[in-house]
Amino acid sequence: MRSDLNDLTIGAGPRKTRSTRRGDRLKIAEAFSLRDLPLFASVDEETLSALALEAKVETCESGTTIFRQGDPIASIVAVIKGYVKLLRIAPGGDETLIAIRANGETIVDPVMGPEETCGVSAETIGPATIIKVPAARFARLARESAGLGAAVALDATRRIAALVSEIEALKSQNADLRLAHFILSLCPPGEEQCRFRLPYDKRLIAALLGVKQETLSRAFAKLREHGVRTETRDIVVDSVARLVVQCEHLGRATPLPERTGRLTRDDAA
Amino acid sequence: MRSDLNDLTIGAGPRKTRSTRRGDRLKIAEAFSLRDLPLFASVDEETLSALALEAKVETCESGTTIFRQGDPIASIVAVIKGYVKLLRIAPGGDETLIAIRANGETIVDPVMGPEETCGVSAETIGPATIIKVPAARFARLARESAGLGAAVALDATRRIAALVSEIEALKSQNADLRLAHFILSLCPPGEEQCRFRLPYDKRLIAALLGVKQETLSRAFAKLREHGVRTETRDIVVDSVARLVVQCEHLGRATPLPERTGRLTRDDAA
DNA sequence: CGCCGGGTTGATTTCAGTCAAGCAACGTGG
DNA sequence: CCACGTTGCTTGACTGAAATCAACCCGGCG
């Protein structure tokens, strides 16, 4: 929650190339530009400068609550570094994970609109760096600058598309298939064989996919037969193409396509 | 799909009170204003007039496809009368219901953004009347008028909130509980005892809740013990308050709170 | 060393999907 | 008017998926 403003430079223009990293063991001064956030990619320079004046960067330790469901919307927040989970808390008290934000993603879930409150709570997973712009200031600029308004609308469109996909997945895919798609979404594009580290622990992945961790563990075990190995926190995918094909079989039962022929040897089971 | 433009007057201003309903058996001429759509509630007169010039009203018979998933976005569509279902079609061919739009709701799911395509297909349930504005024209106006851009953003915010709620429900509630909430959402506010007609058939409700119709039928049967009776298409709720209370018991097992002990016994750990 | 937290695995229960039959409500055509 | 098929809804018996309960493993770390 501490605000280390002095360590960062917020700009509006293209990222400055002056990189003052000199291996000193104090925090490395780093230039950060609002332009780096996808949300602001197409916003005019002037508006961005105005926003930059109001922006505050904060470094948060693990488990910091950024805002709470039901709070009035104080700031527009984006994640610069680390991960932030968004969750909903039912009256009964149990929490439901809605999404995890990373990279340069914005948490404008509650975007604007007068007197709106936060629909979710936001909490950091691991240490994270975030940037905040006061909501009132943001809303005013959005009303004045059509470009910013359009950018917000576009951002919202993307977010809606993602949510729609998630609803489709929850309604029509079983746990194994959802996991397979999740793995595929993590594979670096263009590589047929790959190895990477899971971005967060399996409990969170389970919550993201809407299953219990035991179920996730079993789903991983099932994928092991299809060329997806797990080494504690690392994932090795033998063949992305093969996994894509297997997705169709994971979905509907069809346990045995039964192509009897001597072709592929691993469906003999 | 036929366009009965001549039967309708599209305006931008407040709804004209001249009501030409005279019981003739030809279609009743009716004035319709864009202002009636919540999306445009706060948009300035001038922009609205420009939109109205481009708007086209269409009456559709049941089962009309308005647009298809993957199509380029040709128009912004709103529902004036009747219901429109939005669904996703997987490569395999099976359809997943995403949402149902009614009243004056907009189907701007794919709002704007250059070269975007429709994320869902839209199809009328029963006969419906819709209004269309060419997407290019709409996008240009949205870019020029900050008010319209803000309105779109606000609309998107509402939609996101609804989607988030649906994801929460799918992840954390069982079929009975989801149905109970759905019923409650249909109860006219303020009334303790009520009776109303389901807006569409039970197959659609099942799909909306993410269950099979057989499961929905059993869920209705279970609610019968809690003061919710179904008479074919009508619903009678004996006590809204009681239903709200029952929701807590429907969620988690806890069939018997059993407070027998003199202390709460679960904090002994 | 012992004690976690995160992860796996197994046994069992609960929930929802599947398959199948039956029924009530219509609309149509004889 | 009734026989008829259709469509929407319900019910039952069964299967399968995922949650639950519980034990255990294993890699830090005080």
Side-chain angles (χ1 to χ4, degrees):
Chain A
M1 220 34 150
R2 297 170 301 109
S3 180
D4 296 332
L5 287 181
N6 39 351
D7 289 343
L8 289 125
T9 310
I10 306 172
R15 181 188 257 280
K16 295 177 185 60
T17 43
R18 71 168 181 91
S19 160
T20 48
R21 47 187 80 254
R22 289 167 320 218
D24 45 19
R25 54 195 191 293
L26 287 174
K27 279 197 171 59
I28 297 171
E30 191 177 354
F32 177 79
S33 167
L34 287 180
R35 186 67 74 191
D36 294 339
L37 300 178
L39 172 62
F40 298 127
S42 67
V43 175
D44 62 286
E45 202 65 31
E46 186 183 1
T47 304
L48 218 52
S49 300
L51 279 174
L53 288 176
E54 302 287 341
K56 281 200 296 282
V57 171
E58 293 181 7
T59 64
C60 310
E61 56 190 22
S62 184
T64 303
T65 295
I66 300 175
F67 53 80
R68 233 176 285 266
Q69 181 178 343
D71 284 355
I73 299 176
S75 309
I76 303 303
V77 184
V79 184
I80 295 175
K81 197 156 165 299
Y83 296 93
V84 173
K85 65 179 177 184
L86 305 184
L87 35 87
R88 271 222 157 188
I89 301 159
D94 38 57
E95 306 179 346
T96 305
L97 184 65
I98 299 298
I100 295 179
R101 296 279 141 83
N103 288 328
E105 292 175 311
T106 45
I107 321 185
V108 262
D109 147 34
V111 191
M112 47 204 324
E115 315 301 334
E116 302 269 350
T117 60
C118 298
V120 297
S121 296
E123 189 178 313
T124 57
I125 308 165
T129 309
I130 61 175
I131 186 165
K132 287 181 171 181
V133 180
R137 199 67 59 134
F138 187 90
R140 193 168 56 73
L141 283 167
R143 252 179 276 113
E144 288 168 0
S145 155
L148 183 55
V152 170
L154 183 58
D155 195 61
T157 299
R158 300 248 167 77
R159 206 177 302 302
I160 287 175
L163 292 173
V164 165
S165 290
E166 193 171 344
I167 288 176
E168 180 192 21
L170 287 170
K171 279 187 178 178
S172 70
Q173 302 173 356
N174 63 19
D176 301 334
L177 190 49
R178 293 206 295 276
L179 175 59
H181 281 134
F182 178 74
I183 299 287
L184 285 173
S185 76
L186 291 177
C187 290
E191 293 179 30
E192 171 58 11
Q193 183 174 359
C194 59
R195 176 199 192 87
F196 54 88
R197 179 157 295 234
L198 291 173
Y200 19 77
D201 70 48
K202 292 190 179 153
R203 186 163 312 188
L204 275 172
I205 293 173
L208 203 54
L209 300 178
V211 298
K212 297 285 132 171
Q213 55 177 348
E214 296 96 320
T215 303
L216 178 70
S217 187
R218 290 181 236 271
F220 265 120
K222 205 170 292 180
L223 286 188
R224 212 160 289 143
E225 307 160 9
H226 300 301
V228 178
R229 256 140 338 107
T230 67
E231 298 170 7
T232 36
R233 186 115 174 206
D234 289 306
I235 300 290
V236 181
V237 180
D238 290 341
S239 162
V240 172
R242 180 165 154 228
L243 184 55
V244 170
V245 171
Q246 290 300 336
C247 278
E248 295 164 22
H249 302 294
L250 287 171
R252 283 292 123 242
T254 326
L256 299 177
E258 277 302 342
R259 51 186 59 263
T260 55
R262 59 256 332 111
L263 305 169
T264 54
R265 62 102 182 78
D266 58 344
D267 50 2
Chain B
M1 214 46 144
R2 297 169 301 110
S3 179
D4 297 333
L5 288 180
N6 39 351
D7 287 344
L8 289 125
T9 309
I10 306 171
R15 182 189 255 280
K16 296 176 183 61
T17 41
R18 70 169 179 92
S19 158
T20 47
R21 47 188 80 253
R22 290 167 318 216
D24 45 19
R25 54 193 190 294
L26 287 173
K27 278 194 169 60
I28 297 171
E30 192 177 353
F32 178 79
S33 168
L34 288 179
R35 186 67 74 192
D36 294 339
L37 301 177
L39 171 62
F40 298 128
S42 67
V43 175
D44 61 286
E45 202 65 32
E46 186 184 2
T47 303
L48 217 52
S49 300
L51 279 175
L53 287 177
E54 301 288 341
K56 281 199 297 284
V57 170
E58 292 181 8
T59 65
C60 309
E61 56 190 21
S62 182
T64 302
T65 296
I66 299 176
F67 53 79
R68 231 176 286 268
Q69 180 178 343
D71 285 355
I73 300 174
S75 309
I76 303 305
V77 184
V79 184
I80 295 175
K81 197 159 163 299
Y83 297 93
V84 173
K85 64 179 175 184
L86 304 184
L87 34 88
R88 270 225 159 183
I89 301 162
D94 38 57
E95 306 178 345
T96 305
L97 184 66
I98 299 297
I100 295 179
R101 297 280 140 82
N103 288 329
E105 293 175 311
T106 46
I107 321 184
V108 263
D109 148 32
V111 191
M112 46 205 324
E115 315 301 333
E116 301 269 353
T117 60
C118 298
V120 297
S121 297
E123 189 178 314
T124 57
I125 307 165
T129 306
I130 61 175
I131 187 165
K132 287 181 172 182
V133 180
R137 199 67 59 132
F138 187 91
R140 193 169 55 74
L141 283 167
R143 251 178 278 114
E144 289 168 0
S145 155
L148 182 55
V152 170
L154 183 57
D155 195 60
T157 299
R158 300 248 167 76
R159 204 177 303 301
I160 287 175
L163 291 173
V164 165
S165 291
E166 194 172 343
I167 288 177
E168 180 191 21
L170 287 170
K171 280 186 176 177
S172 69
Q173 302 173 355
N174 63 16
D176 301 333
L177 190 50
R178 293 206 295 276
L179 174 59
H181 281 133
F182 177 75
I183 299 287
L184 285 173
S185 76
L186 291 177
C187 291
E191 293 178 29
E192 171 57 10
Q193 183 173 358
C194 61
R195 176 199 192 88
F196 55 88
R197 178 157 296 232
L198 292 172
Y200 19 77
D201 69 48
K202 291 188 180 157
R203 186 163 313 187
L204 275 171
I205 294 173
L208 202 54
L209 300 179
V211 298
K212 298 285 134 171
Q213 57 178 346
E214 296 96 320
T215 303
L216 177 70
S217 187
R218 289 181 236 270
F220 265 119
K222 204 168 293 178
L223 287 188
R224 212 161 289 143
E225 307 161 8
H226 301 302
V228 178
R229 260 145 328 113
T230 68
E231 298 171 6
T232 37
R233 186 117 173 203
D234 289 306
I235 300 290
V236 181
V237 180
D238 290 340
S239 163
V240 171
R242 180 166 152 227
L243 184 55
V244 170
V245 171
Q246 289 301 337
C247 277
E248 295 164 22
H249 301 294
L250 287 171
R252 284 291 121 243
T254 326
L256 299 176
E258 280 298 344
R259 46 188 59 264
T260 52
R262 39 212 58 67
L263 303 167
T264 51
R265 61 103 182 74
D266 57 342
D267 51 1

